[in-house]
């Protein structure tokens, strides 16, 4: 993979969360970009095949304005997979939507 290809996927941390509720299980995707302090999330898939076929918008160049998309199956190799319950999911949501450092994220992931 050359430098241009490595720069296509801007976010530095990907989380794929398997959330187990009392009735059903769901999958969610979280994306964190530490350089630009950006975070995005996509939620509510019920099976893995739908999740892997979802196309995620990523920047075609660092600093560029054009977006392209890639299937999650390609990005999932780099992602951190978490299996959590409702209480842990609420903690994740609180942590995700406020400014935190990498150290706080690392402590929560442990």
């Amino acid at each position: 993979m050359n430098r241009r290809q490595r720069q296509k996927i801007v976010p530095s941390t990907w989380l794929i969360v398997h959330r187990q509720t009392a009735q059903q299980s769901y999958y969610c995707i979280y994306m964190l970009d530490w350089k630009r302090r950006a975070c995005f999330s996509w939620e509510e898939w019920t099976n893995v095949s739908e999740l892997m076929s979802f196309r995620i918008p990523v920047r075609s160049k660092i600093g560029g304005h054009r977006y392209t998309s890639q299937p999650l199956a390609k990005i999932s190799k780099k992602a951190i997979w978490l299996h959590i319950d409702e209480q842990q999911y609420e903690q994740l949501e609180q942590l995700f939507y406020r400014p935190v450092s990498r150290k706080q994220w690392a402590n929560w992931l442990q």
Side-chain angles (χ1 to χ4, degrees):
M1 180 182 291
N2 62 28
R3 185 174 24 158
R4 184 185 61 80
Q5 290 170 329
R6 278 194 306 265
Q7 290 177 345
K8 280 188 176 180
I9 300 175
V10 174
S12 53
T13 304
W14 292 92
L15 298 173
I16 299 175
V17 177
H18 179 233
R19 183 178 100 194
Q20 185 68 41
T21 64
Q23 297 85 12
Q24 199 171 4
S25 62
Y26 298 101
Y27 290 94
C28 308
I29 306 166
Y30 292 94
M31 175 188 79
L32 298 162
D33 184 3
W34 296 108
K35 286 183 183 177
R36 291 158 194 81
R37 297 184 184 257
C39 53
F40 296 99
S41 66
W42 296 273
E43 300 184 2
E44 305 303 322
W45 284 276
T46 54
N47 61 24
V48 177
S49 61
E50 289 178 6
L51 177 71
M52 290 301 158
S53 64
F54 177 67
R55 297 189 67 84
I56 295 181
V58 293
R59 286 203 174 158
S60 56
K61 289 183 182 177
I62 291 183
H65 298 289
R66 287 186 32 209
Y67 281 86
T68 183
S69 63
Q70 289 184 355
L72 181 66
K74 190 172 183 178
I75 296 169
S76 67
K77 299 171 200 168
K78 301 175 185 180
I80 299 169
W81 288 75
L82 299 175
H83 298 280
I84 59 177
D85 59 7
E86 279 297 311
Q87 181 184 8
Q88 292 171 327
Y89 181 74
E90 289 185 20
Q91 291 175 355
L92 175 66
E93 285 286 313
Q94 291 175 359
L95 190 64
F96 188 73
Y97 289 111
R98 66 177 175 193
V100 294
S101 66
R102 286 187 186 195
K103 187 175 183 179
Q104 289 174 319
W105 268 105
N107 288 339
W108 189 85
L109 288 173
Q110 290 177 352

